[in-house]
Amino acid sequence: MSLLPIKTVDRLDRPSAYYAGKNKRRRDDRDIEREEETNKRLEGATTLYVGNLSFYTTEEQIHELFSKCGEIKRLVMGLDRFNKTPCGFCFVEYYTHQDALDCLKYVGGTKLDERIIRADLDTGFEEGRQYGRGKSGGQVRDEYREEYDPGRGGYGRAYDEQRQREDEEYGQGR
Amino acid sequence: MADYERRNNGYRGGGGGRKRRYRDDDDYDRRPQRRKYEEPLFVQVRRQLLTIAESAVRRVEDDIVGIAKSVAEHYEDEELRDTFINISLDLVREQPMKIPFVAAITLVTHNLKPELGAEVLKKAGGLLQKYIDTGAWREVKLLVRFLGCLQAMFEGDGVFPLLEEFFARAVDLQTASSEDLLGLELVKIILFTIPYVMSSPATGFETQASALLDKTDIIASTPHALVDLVNTFSPDENKEAAGPSVISLMQTQLQAEAGRGWELKCLPRPWKSVQESNEDESKPFEVASKIPFPEINVPNPVLHGSHPLFPEVYLSVYADQDINTVPPTSDITSSLLREVLVDTINLLDFNRVATAKYLIDIDCYFTPHTFVKRATTFDRMRDLAGEGQSWKPEDVAVDAVFSQLYQLPTPEHKLVYYHSVLTECCKIAPAAIAPSLGRAIRYLYNNLQTMDLELSNRFLDWFAHHLSNFGFTWKWSEWIDDLELPAVHPRMAFINGALDKEIRLSFAQRIKGTLPEPYIPLITEGKEKDTPEFKYLSESKSSFFTNIASRKSHLTTWKVTPYSKEGQELNQLIRKKAGDDEIQPVIAAIEEQAQDLGVEDPKVPSTDAFVTSICFAGSKSLSHVLSCIERNKERLLAIGPASQAARCQIITSVMEYWTDQPGIAINIIDKLLNYTILSPLSVLEWALSENMAAGTILAKPHIFEMISATVGKVTNRMRQIVTARTQPGIYEPQLSILDETLSRERADMQSLFRFIEDAIVSVAAGSNDEQMERGDGSGDLPEDAIIRQWGRRWLRVFRRKAGVEESFINGALVNATPVGTVAPQQDTPATEDGDVQIEDADNQ
């Protein structure tokens, strides 16, 4: 809409470093190519990945907030691979690219259910992507988290197991 | 998360974070020391330019001179030259508060190296021409302002001939049509250029300025027919609060300022201090070599541009305080600050963090005594009030955001953008901003009765959303007395609506915990239930439910739960994803029973059982209910055409099942509209004729929300069709097909608006049948006046909406290819099928 190429201030509606940094070990020409390729795939994207949700946040709550940027075409909750319960992320699909960009600008980084949520442009939902990829079924980040997060199942699961094991062993040692 | 922080802090392109304000400093200190390296000069100048005037510690005139010297001394450095010119003009168009400073740099540079000044002007002139040709009037305004600040550089009258030409075009447009708005836009450009010329180092232009002002008076001071319609307050409801139009206000203020020798005390004169830092203080800033004003061609007639134009009204949410914290409308400072803040807000929508930062830093960009110190409390303002008053920067900033949030008919960006700016402001400076917001909220709350209804709903939406970002803390205690008011009172409607919206973003128990005791009864038991009861399950409860329902629906009163066995069966069938062949017998059984019981339309109880079962089976989440609807789509689609009463019953069943969580109900209605199971008209009929309840339904915020959304769907579709019809390169036969669709849909839209008008006009007049029957029929019940007012406020909103849409269509069709136009050559790959895209919109 605006004739201005933006130069004096950064934009918030760019894809995050996540896509660019995906699978990247050493920066070489192929990486740059790949980066351009993903950026191309995100052109016209209407889907957002939304992260850092509480496990208790409902579809309705997400709908209420995200529809402020435009009508929502589809909402896919991220689920624990084994329990099929929400595991803290979702995909929000709009009808237009502009709505998705506006959402990055206006909603990403604000609070939902009293947590700061993260929104990222996404190439589009595909069957299977709604499940957590962590070892125990949830998101990977919830495996090793050392802080207690009541909205996301307490301690990281792997971390928690280790803690409990240590506790037990400590008891046995006595 | 880390990601966000990184992105947000980088509001200033090109790296470098030498600022030490707010949250930045923690981050900065901890960072390990980098290896020192010499940065190229152009990078350094770029950074200095981008951050010009941002520091409250550095002397801006030192930076101005520093930049000017760097670029003048290294004139041969092409990269530096380009950076300087481009960034300067980018700042003009993106950060208008910095225009006087950028202009000062240009002036000083010009004196050091006239070639460079000429190059800046050449580029600025080219850009200006481009914006004039495309009708981008805000950009035109900003570039002309920049040139106005440079008036001293020009031979002869400088910017004035261009302003005169704008005025001539405005006169033509105004003479051609009294509805013209483009002419007003041109006058606005003139009015908001003059003060910058008069505060520039140029002298001796008082006569030109006054002469121009005398001419603009007639256009600026004549109220446009639409002003009342876009006023925050309808003059019929609250004449006092209805604000003046932005340009009429500016006209008056400029005339007063002319009489005061163009004091313009808030506008910075950075060039002046540059001069003072040299030895001779009394010497005015002089430009050594004058150059001609860039040649600009203003087409006749000028172009409209892509932005829809409407008159703007001056709103201040701090208008009725006992002491002024923002400049009053008698002071030109009010318009000057507001205008440049509004542009800043709207131009920087792509980075709300930067916007918020510039709003908080507003005191850096005006003369030092314009504002009191940041975070000065309201009580302290009381002590400071009086002669030579300064204003509270937070209030001025917040006021500007609200002016956009409450812009009618619609602001430039989505409402949620303005929400997010206020949220960021609060995050950057919570202690300073929160009290300002508090007073704004009080003003809006106190004026709910007479405020435009659309705006009071925006207020509701913002309020709940804002609180959701700050732990839902609000001083509810101050409104406790209002809980005594009747439910239809606008304040009670607001309180109930706000709590409902808070719950939608959170959950009932959480919100309950934030409320003082007297509010607790408002959070009913039903609101705390995730799954509302299924009326066919419990016999005693359900008879109670149907009694309520039967008051409105076509059921006769029942002693025992009707159709409870069938209702439960339906629920089971829907849950196990049964096919229609299994559902049909149960429906038939209900209809048979109903027939025996003498129910007028047996489809009503069967629809009720069916839709209620879908709601119950799908109560777990929106996707659940959507898949239930999807699976039973055919049956649902068949209900509407078969019976008007059953069609209505679909809505009744949804609304009743989710009566405690209306947000979910209207969401489901919305999806049913997308499936075309419901028609827009049926939603309007349900609310405004079947359930009008003597006009009391108009007091329910979620009903307004539902009707607005429904009408919005129709008008959006209409706009898509108009866009398809008017896109270039469309020829016959598509042209005729699109034109027919357009005419048909336009007529439908008009009849929709007519329906609303007819339904509400009687409520507004107090002649609605049910309304007359209430009480003793005198229409004098205390609530009657309130209800009539609701009626008037609804009418105003939808009349405006109808008018806006009509003018959009008419405006768009002016330049449309006429029907009958054939493609110039057969082999042109005509844009396939003109209406493909519209069809999609249907099945959303």
Side-chain angles (χ1 to χ4, degrees):
Chain A
M1 187 192 63
S2 178
L3 292 156
L4 309 176
I6 298 313
K7 285 174 198 120
T8 66
V9 166
D10 286 349
R11 301 191 65 102
L12 297 183
D13 55 359
R14 293 264 159 80
S16 78
Y18 174 77
Y19 277 99
K22 223 172 168 182
N23 310 325
K24 194 190 303 178
R25 289 220 178 73
R26 220 173 289 121
R27 202 176 167 85
D28 57 27
D29 290 348
R30 284 224 314 282
D31 282 331
I32 296 170
E33 257 169 53
R34 201 175 307 137
E35 200 176 314
E36 276 167 8
E37 204 175 292
T38 17
N39 280 344
K40 204 166 257 166
R41 280 171 66 204
L42 290 172
E43 259 174 41
T46 55
T47 303
L48 296 175
Y49 164 89
V50 181
N52 199 37
L53 296 170
S54 149
F55 292 176
Y56 305 103
T57 298
T58 63
E59 274 182 50
E60 283 72 15
Q61 285 171 286
I62 297 166
H63 208 282
E64 180 71 19
L65 180 64
F66 281 80
S67 59
K68 292 185 195 296
C69 288
E71 193 175 347
I72 292 170
K73 187 174 179 184
R74 186 165 58 157
L75 178 57
V76 182
M77 293 297 278
L79 300 176
D80 185 293
R81 204 164 63 241
F82 304 120
N83 307 331
K84 304 288 183 279
T85 54
C87 71
F89 74 98
C90 73
F91 295 97
V92 175
E93 189 183 344
Y94 289 101
Y95 284 97
T96 70
H97 180 51
Q98 189 56 50
D99 288 348
L101 292 180
D102 286 347
C103 191
L104 284 182
K105 292 184 288 183
Y106 312 148
V107 172
T110 68
K111 279 187 182 177
L112 174 59
D113 220 358
E114 303 178 64
R115 300 175 65 91
I116 294 196
I117 52 169
R118 151 201 169 126
D120 211 341
L121 221 47
D122 191 274
T123 48
F125 172 74
E126 281 160 43
E127 185 52 37
R129 286 190 66 200
Q130 71 267 48
Y131 298 118
R133 291 176 304 173
K135 209 171 73 186
S136 58
Q139 284 199 280
V140 180
R141 54 168 287 205
D142 291 312
E143 291 291 336
Y144 303 102
R145 185 165 18 80
E146 293 185 19
E147 306 87 50
Y148 188 81
D149 185 344
R152 292 181 73 100
Y155 293 106
R157 286 185 197 166
Y159 173 77
D160 199 30
E161 259 170 42
Q162 191 197 332
R163 241 171 38 103
Q164 278 175 12
R165 213 167 35 241
E166 278 169 11
D167 275 1
E168 278 163 30
E169 282 163 11
Y170 178 74
Q172 281 161 2
R174 281 174 89 176
Chain B
M1 268 328 302
D3 212 59
Y4 264 103
E5 311 259 277
R6 214 178 321 130
R7 288 209 293 208
N8 292 356
N9 281 343
Y11 52 80
R12 215 181 293 118
R18 116 194 116 70
K19 295 299 299 304
R20 83 279 47 171
R21 229 179 244 147
Y22 308 116
R23 299 176 302 169
D24 288 20
D25 33 11
D26 298 343
D27 288 339
Y28 192 67
D29 291 343
R30 260 186 267 113
R31 222 167 283 159
Q33 286 289 312
R34 294 246 172 81
R35 187 156 47 93
K36 291 253 188 271
Y37 91 110
E38 221 26 55
E39 64 182 354
L41 188 59
F42 80 92
V43 175
Q44 202 182 319
V45 167
R46 180 189 148 88
R47 193 185 54 242
Q48 285 178 325
L49 254 177
L50 284 174
T51 58
I52 191 74
E54 282 185 17
S55 168
V57 187
R58 294 172 65 88
R59 271 170 48 93
V60 65
E61 43 275 15
D62 294 345
D63 287 341
I64 290 172
V65 174
I67 296 171
K69 277 195 178 139
S70 297
V71 287
E73 278 166 19
H74 299 87
Y75 177 72
E76 70 295 340
D77 181 342
E78 201 181 330
E79 189 148 31
L80 175 64
R81 218 161 56 213
D82 288 348
T83 304
F84 170 70
I85 297 171
N86 291 335
I87 299 285
S88 293
L89 294 173
D90 288 341
L91 282 172
V92 168
R93 290 169 295 161
E94 290 176 6
Q95 300 186 34
M97 288 199 285
K98 293 181 182 167
I99 291 179
F101 303 97
V102 176
I105 299 172
T106 309
L107 283 171
V108 178
T109 311
H110 180 70
N111 270 356
L112 296 172
K113 193 81 188 170
E115 294 91 325
L116 204 44
E119 274 183 61
V120 173
L121 283 185
K122 186 165 166 255
K123 184 95 192 247
L127 282 172
L128 176 57
Q129 186 66 60
K130 184 181 91 184
Y131 289 123
I132 290 177
D133 291 344
T134 51
W137 297 111
R138 175 175 48 204
E139 282 70 22
V140 170
K141 180 182 71 181
L142 298 175
L143 279 163
V144 171
R145 171 174 315 165
F146 176 62
L147 296 176
C149 290
L150 300 177
Q151 177 76 356
M153 273 169 76
F154 302 120
E155 297 166 353
D157 289 339
V159 74
F160 280 101
L162 179 64
L163 297 183
E164 293 282 355
E165 203 158 353
F166 282 155
F167 180 71
R169 296 292 183 282
V171 170
D172 291 347
L173 288 160
Q174 287 277 303
T175 333
S177 159
S178 62
E179 286 166 28
D180 162 69
L181 284 157
L182 185 49
L184 299 186
E185 203 63 19
L186 294 174
V187 168
K188 184 180 170 188
I189 295 175
I190 298 170
L191 296 180
F192 280 97
T193 303
I194 292 176
Y196 290 90
V197 179
M198 300 316 285
S199 68
S200 80
T203 48
F205 289 98
E206 288 78 6
T207 340
Q208 272 101 326
S210 298
L212 199 49
L213 267 186
D214 286 343
K215 291 197 232 171
T216 53
D217 189 38
I218 178 86
I219 297 180
S221 304
T222 315
H224 190 274
L226 285 177
V227 166
D228 284 352
L229 215 53
V230 297
N231 212 310
T232 323
F233 297 92
S234 153
D236 300 335
E237 305 291 339
N238 192 346
K239 191 135 192 80
E240 241 168 68
S245 84
V246 165
I247 57 165
S248 72
L249 185 62
M250 186 61 178
Q251 174 75 31
T252 324
Q253 293 171 339
L254 277 172
Q255 278 163 338
E257 208 60 23
R260 237 178 268 135
W262 300 102
E263 189 187 2
L264 298 162
K265 59 182 175 199
C266 74
L267 292 184
R269 275 96 161 160
W271 45 270
K272 209 168 187 171
S273 336
V274 168
Q275 202 69 6
E276 278 165 10
S277 63
N278 296 336
E279 307 86 61
D280 194 355
E281 289 194 14
S282 58
K283 207 178 107 201
F285 188 96
E286 262 175 33
V287 175
S289 61
K290 306 244 176 192
I291 50 176
F293 191 80
E295 207 165 298
I296 302 292
N297 168 36
V298 185
N300 194 4
V302 288
L303 216 78
H304 202 288
S306 57
H307 265 297
L309 296 174
F310 285 96
E312 293 164 277
V313 168
Y314 188 88
L315 161 74
S316 173
V317 293
Y318 302 108
D320 60 359
Q321 292 176 154
D322 54 346
I323 49 161
N324 286 328
T325 56
V326 297
T329 49
S330 55
D331 184 343
I332 195 167
T333 308
S334 60
S335 292
L336 289 172
L337 295 179
R338 172 64 61 81
E339 188 261 357
V340 75
L341 282 173
V342 163
D343 282 347
T344 303
I345 294 167
N346 284 332
L347 284 165
L348 294 179
D349 86 290
F350 51 83
N351 190 332
R352 60 176 198 263
V353 188
T355 309
K357 183 199 143 16
Y358 291 126
L359 290 182
I360 298 288
D361 288 351
I362 174 182
D363 51 359
C364 294
Y365 306 103
F366 296 91
T367 49
H369 297 292
T370 309
F371 295 102
V372 297
K373 280 231 291 281
R374 293 184 196 178
T376 301
T377 63
F378 186 69
D379 287 333
R380 181 84 185 101
M381 288 297 290
R382 203 182 294 277
D383 305 336
L384 296 171
E387 271 310 292
Q389 202 184 344
S390 305
W391 316 113
K392 191 166 157 49
E394 296 84 13
D395 282 14
V396 171
V398 166
D399 218 9
V401 186
F402 275 112
S403 81
Q404 292 309 286
L405 191 53
Y406 295 133
Q407 182 76 44
L408 283 173
T410 44
E412 182 172 335
H413 300 291
K414 288 173 181 152
L415 295 168
V416 62
Y417 167 56
Y418 305 99
H419 297 189
S420 75
V421 170
L422 290 172
T423 307
E424 291 306 326
C425 286
C426 257
K427 276 202 219 159
I428 295 177
I433 293 290
S436 291
L437 283 184
R439 272 177 290 112
I441 291 168
R442 265 160 228 136
Y443 171 85
L444 294 165
Y445 179 82
N446 290 337
N447 287 291
L448 274 173
Q449 286 104 304
T450 53
M451 196 191 301
D452 186 273
L453 183 61
E454 161 115 29
L455 299 184
S456 60
N457 277 278
R458 284 189 203 169
F459 174 37
L460 186 67
D461 201 48
W462 166 74
F463 181 73
H465 185 204
H466 187 80
L467 294 192
S468 81
N469 271 285
F470 296 95
F472 296 102
T473 38
W474 170 247
K475 255 168 74 191
W476 287 102
S477 53
E478 62 186 66
W479 295 336
I480 284 178
D481 288 348
D482 290 342
L483 295 175
E484 309 284 321
L485 294 168
V488 293
H489 193 280
R491 289 189 181 175
M492 268 317 279
F494 176 83
I495 291 174
N496 276 314
L499 292 177
D500 175 49
K501 290 231 162 185
E502 284 193 356
I503 292 174
R504 289 194 214 174
L505 287 166
S506 182
F507 52 101
Q509 233 185 343
R510 168 77 178 101
I511 299 308
K512 207 171 170 179
T514 65
L515 297 172
E517 214 283 316
Y519 287 84
I520 302 299
L522 298 181
I523 313 287
T524 56
E525 203 186 318
K527 288 186 192 292
E528 291 187 68
K529 267 191 201 149
D530 286 338
T531 308
E533 227 151 305
F534 184 52
K535 66 181 177 184
Y536 298 100
L537 269 188
S538 123
E539 305 218 342
S540 56
K541 267 268 163 65
S542 57
S543 63
F544 166 75
F545 268 111
T546 24
N547 269 330
I548 296 211
S550 63
R551 258 197 260 146
K552 238 11 274 172
S553 72
H554 297 246
L555 291 171
T556 42
T557 35
W558 297 95
K559 299 276 186 291
V560 288
T561 316
Y563 324 113
S564 74
K565 181 174 144 285
E566 289 80 7
Q568 290 173 40
E569 264 179 78
L570 274 176
N571 170 40
Q572 290 308 323
L573 288 171
I574 290 165
R575 267 172 208 267
K576 67 172 218 203
K577 305 179 182 167
D580 198 55
D581 48 332
E582 286 182 79
I583 289 173
Q584 175 53 32
V586 190
I587 298 284
I590 295 177
E591 288 175 7
E592 230 165 81
Q593 275 184 59
Q595 206 121 40
D596 293 346
L597 290 161
V599 173
E600 196 185 324
D601 187 345
K603 274 205 166 314
V604 169
S606 67
T607 301
D608 188 21
F610 185 54
V611 175
T612 307
S613 300
I614 287 178
C615 286
F616 179 53
S619 62
K620 206 170 165 202
S621 77
L622 195 61
S623 358
H624 282 82
V625 77
L626 285 181
S627 61
C628 288
I629 292 169
E630 181 77 41
R631 277 199 306 275
N632 296 285
K633 204 165 82 185
E634 296 310 316
R635 174 167 291 279
L636 286 165
L637 278 166
I639 293 174
S643 143
Q644 199 269 339
R647 192 160 66 220
C648 234
Q649 183 59 46
I650 298 178
I651 307 175
T652 305
S653 298
V654 174
M655 297 298 273
E656 261 172 21
Y657 182 77
W658 288 110
T659 183
D660 286 314
Q661 297 179 52
I664 297 181
I666 59 178
N667 212 342
I668 296 175
I669 301 292
D670 191 78
K671 303 296 175 202
L672 292 173
L673 278 166
N674 287 349
Y675 278 113
T676 63
I677 290 166
L678 294 173
S679 69
L681 187 62
S682 62
V683 176
L684 299 190
E685 281 172 347
W686 180 87
L688 303 180
S689 95
E690 297 297 318
N691 289 282
M692 190 56 120
T696 52
I697 197 169
L698 301 182
K700 298 191 166 136
H702 71 271
I703 297 294
F704 181 81
E705 193 183 341
M706 180 175 79
I707 302 293
S708 299
T710 307
V711 171
K713 244 180 226 304
V714 174
T715 55
N716 277 347
R717 183 181 155 77
M718 189 70 226
R719 282 179 181 241
Q720 284 176 322
I721 296 169
V722 171
T723 311
R725 167 70 182 83
T726 54
Q727 65 184 304
I730 290 266
Y731 300 105
E732 291 296 356
Q734 282 87 2
L735 217 45
S736 289
I737 299 171
L738 280 168
D739 203 64
E740 266 167 48
T741 317
L742 192 145
S743 310
R744 192 180 57 241
E745 300 266 341
R746 187 177 193 175
D748 286 353
M749 183 184 84
Q750 286 163 340
S751 63
L752 210 65
F753 280 117
R754 211 169 311 120
F755 179 87
I756 298 177
E757 171 85 22
D758 294 346
I760 299 176
V761 84
S762 63
V763 176
S767 59
N768 170 286
D769 291 344
E770 293 170 306
Q771 227 173 338
M772 306 282 272
E773 285 162 21
R774 271 162 51 101
D776 54 3
S778 64
D780 291 340
L781 287 177
E783 290 173 22
D784 285 349
I786 300 179
I787 292 171
R788 285 197 297 272
Q789 191 180 38
W790 279 110
R792 291 197 301 275
R793 292 171 71 205
W794 272 70
L795 275 183
R796 181 176 148 86
V797 169
F798 289 101
R799 281 176 181 165
R800 177 175 57 236
K801 182 87 179 147
V804 167
E805 294 308 315
E806 280 299 320
S807 81
F808 169 80
I809 300 172
N810 291 334
L813 288 182
V814 168
N815 298 317
T817 323
V819 172
T821 309
V822 186
Q825 250 159 16
Q826 209 54 358
D827 54 52
T828 24
T831 339
E832 283 160 53
D833 242 340
D835 55 355
V836 190
Q837 287 163 318
I838 314 167
E839 292 310 323
D840 283 350
D842 249 354
N843 301 323
Q844 287 175 4

